[in-house]
Amino acid sequence: MNEIRVTIFCEHHQDRFEPVKSVYPNGMHAAIAAAFAEEPSFRLTIATQDMPSHGLTKEVLEHTDVLIWWSHLDNNLLDDAVADEVCRRVVRDGMGFVALHSASFSKPWQRLLGIEYEAGEWGRFRTMPKGERERLWIVAPGHPICEGLEDFIEIPQDEMYGEPMLIPEPNKLLFIAWWEGGDVCRSGTLFERGRGKIFGFTPGHEEFPIYDQPEIHRVLRNAARFLAPPGGARKRAGEGHLSGEALEDLSHRM
Ligand code: ZN
C-alpha cells in the first residue's frame, strides 16, 4: 500500500487558552492527528501558524499529498504567498485539501472556490454557550469518504453553520447537517480544482470535543485516502509548456 503523506495545519491560537485548552489540551492538531495514529499507511506532519512560513515551506508542501486545515481567528494573518503556494499545489500538482469548520474563511479555501467573505457576511451561524445538537446525514452512502459510517453522525454540540453557505455548487455533496434549531447546512462538500480534489467539512467548533469522535476520525481518514492523488502529489510544472514550434509570435514574453 502506498504511503499517504498528510500534513495537518492548525492555527494553534485559541487552543493555547481556556476554554479551548481544556477541550484540546495538546492542541487541536493533536486530536486531528489521532485519527491517523493507528494507521501505518499515513505519514504525518504537523504545521502551526506560528512556525516560520506557518510550517508550510515549499519543502513541506512538496512532500504533502493531503493538507488538512483548521483555522479561525488568524485567517487574515496568513501569509498570502503561503496561501498561493497551497492553491498552486492543489491545482497544479493534485494535492488534496480539507477545510475544517472555520477554515471556510481561510485564504486557500476561499481562493480555490473563488469566493470571498467574512464569517458575518455569509449564510447563518449561531454560537450559543452550549452549542446545538447536530445530525450529520450522509447523502452519498456509496462514496469512499462515507465508508464504514452509519446513516448519520450525531454530534452532541457544535456551532451552527447554516444555509445559505454562499459556495459554488459542489461536484459532490456528501453530508447535510440538521440542527436542533431548525437550520440545515451542506456540511460535506467535494470539489475538483485542476488536478486536485478539495473537501469542505464544517463540523469542528473549537469549544467542543468533536475531533475526538471516532466517526469524525473515520471521515478524516477516508477523506485523506480519497483525496490523495494516485502516485502522490508531484510537481509537474513545465511539462509540455511552450514546447515545440510556437505558432504565434511570443517575443512579448521574453
Ligand atoms: Zn466555530
Side-chain angles (χ1 to χ4, degrees), residues 72 101-102 159 161 205-206:
H72 182 209
H101 192 60
S102 36
E159 177 186 31
Y161 275 16
H205 185 66
E206 64 276 3

Side-chain angles (χ1 to χ4, degrees), residues 9 13 32 37 51 73 79 84 90 126 155 159 163 166 180 225 228 232 236 238 242 254:
F9 170 81
H13 176 160
I32 294 167
M51 294 165 74
L73 294 183
D79 187 338
D84 286 345
V90 170
R126 278 194 295 280
I155 298 174
E159 177 186 31
E163 298 285 349
L166 305 184
E180 65 174 306
R225 282 197 196 94
R236 302 182 230 208
L242 293 184
M254 301 305 168

Side-chain angles (χ1 to χ4, degrees), residues 14 70-72 101-102 105 125-127 158-161 202-208:
Q14 289 163 285
W70 194 97
S71 59
H72 182 209
H101 192 60
S102 36
F105 310 100
F125 65 100
R126 278 194 295 280
T127 307
D158 197 359
E159 177 186 31
M160 193 287 282
Y161 275 16
T202 62
H205 185 66
E206 64 276 3
E207 291 172 79
F208 308 115

Side-chain angles (χ1 to χ4, degrees), residues 6-95:
V6 174
T7 297
I8 296 166
F9 170 81
C10 181
E11 187 173 280
H12 194 31
H13 176 160
Q14 289 163 285
D15 51 7
R16 295 174 195 262
F17 308 99
E18 295 301 349
V20 183
K21 197 172 192 305
S22 297
V23 180
Y24 293 110
N26 300 312
M28 297 185 74
H29 45 283
I32 294 167
F36 302 92
E38 316 233 310
E39 303 265 340
S41 51
F42 296 103
R43 179 144 55 91
L44 287 189
T45 301
I46 302 291
T48 55
Q49 191 147 342
D50 57 314
M51 294 165 74
S53 301
H54 310 315
L56 299 171
T57 60
K58 284 197 176 187
E59 165 101 25
V60 167
L61 289 174
E62 279 172 14
H63 292 87
T64 298
D65 297 318
V66 179
L67 177 58
I68 298 177
W69 193 282
W70 194 97
S71 59
H72 182 209
L73 294 183
D74 300 331
N75 277 324
N76 290 334
L77 300 178
L78 193 91
D79 187 338
D80 282 308
V82 171
D84 286 345
E85 191 57 27
V86 168
C87 295
R88 273 196 288 274
R89 185 78 183 136
V90 170
V91 172
R92 180 191 64 198
D93 304 337
M95 181 179 78

